[in-house]
Amino acid sequence: MTIDLRDVELLGPRLRLRDLRAGDLGVYQRIFTDPQLTRYMGTDSMGVRAAAASFDAALRSRGESPRRKYTLAITAPGADTMVGTIGLLVEDFGSNAMIGGLVVVPEGALRAGGIEAGRLMAAFAFGPLGIHRVWAGHRHDHPVMDTVMSGVGLTPEARLRQLYRTQGRWRDVCTYAALRPEWAATATAAERRILALRPTEAREHATAVR
């Protein structure tokens, strides 16, 4: 089975991840202009125009080769309405990728879907992209993200002091990571299907090491 890296779709038991589409702009702006939804992220909330520009950049990234940034919409499996977002950044060195930008709107049925979304993204990185190490971080005072990281299968690694400044204060970040052989051994059936996918392009991702 193959997957088009310019039109990603990942299906889990409770939710689906897919590439952004033009019609997602309103939800994207709602998320990234809301001080509450972005309060634990690495940047402050944006203005409407800045959020639209960020959205346009995410759409353009689909055409890059090799593609290094994936910003995916979170939806229910049988629906297409975006209810959240999660990102993956393939780094320029080694064989590393960072999961970030996880936000789910609070009123939806998928508000507790962060673990599943993170695991689907990890399976995508370890499988079709051939990444060896996936990592993520959260602000040290986030009330539940350590539980999410553990559920995704990431192991605590370090606390980076005053990594970024938001809401007028410097913030520490706790980092976590997983290695492909260890993580794949814990994969569910749905995750194993993603791990087995290969890119439609003949040449695999530039950072893949097999």
Side-chain angles (χ1 to χ4, degrees), residues 16-108:
R16 177 179 64 142
L17 305 183
R18 62 160 174 80
D19 259 308
L20 293 177
R21 301 171 185 165
D24 298 323
L25 174 59
V27 179
Y28 188 96
Q29 285 179 311
R30 181 208 162 177
I31 289 172
F32 287 96
T33 62
D34 188 326
Q36 289 302 308
L37 293 179
T38 59
R39 66 189 182 278
Y40 289 109
M41 299 184 83
T43 58
D44 289 320
S45 60
M46 305 176 186
V48 172
R49 290 185 178 179
S54 173
F55 181 80
D56 288 344
L59 291 182
R60 289 195 302 273
S61 72
R62 295 177 62 175
E64 296 174 355
S65 182
R67 184 176 179 184
R68 296 193 176 276
K69 186 173 183 180
Y70 297 83
T71 305
L72 304 185
I74 300 172
T75 79
D80 201 50
T81 301
M82 177 179 172
V83 296
T85 184
I86 188 170
L88 183 77
L89 178 64
V90 178
E91 297 179 343
D92 289 334
F93 59 93
S95 185
N96 302 277
M98 180 184 70
I99 297 174
L102 172 63
V103 183
V104 181
V105 295
E107 70 275 11

Side-chain angles (χ1 to χ4, degrees), residues 107-178:
E107 70 275 11
L110 298 179
R111 61 186 178 277
I115 290 176
E116 184 174 339
R119 290 191 67 88
L120 292 178
M121 193 65 100
F124 173 64
F126 288 133
L129 298 186
I131 297 297
H132 177 68
R133 179 179 179 273
V134 168
W135 72 281
H138 68 79
R139 213 172 83 182
H140 76 282
D141 57 346
H142 196 293
V144 299
M145 194 55 74
D146 57 340
T147 301
V148 173
M149 296 289 185
S150 176
V152 171
L154 306 180
T155 300
E157 286 198 328
R159 176 164 169 165
L160 308 180
R161 296 186 300 160
Q162 297 188 9
L163 183 64
Y164 60 76
R165 183 177 176 87
T166 58
Q167 296 113 44
R169 294 179 57 188
W170 287 101
R171 309 291 181 175
D172 290 3
V173 171
C174 299
T175 65
Y176 302 71

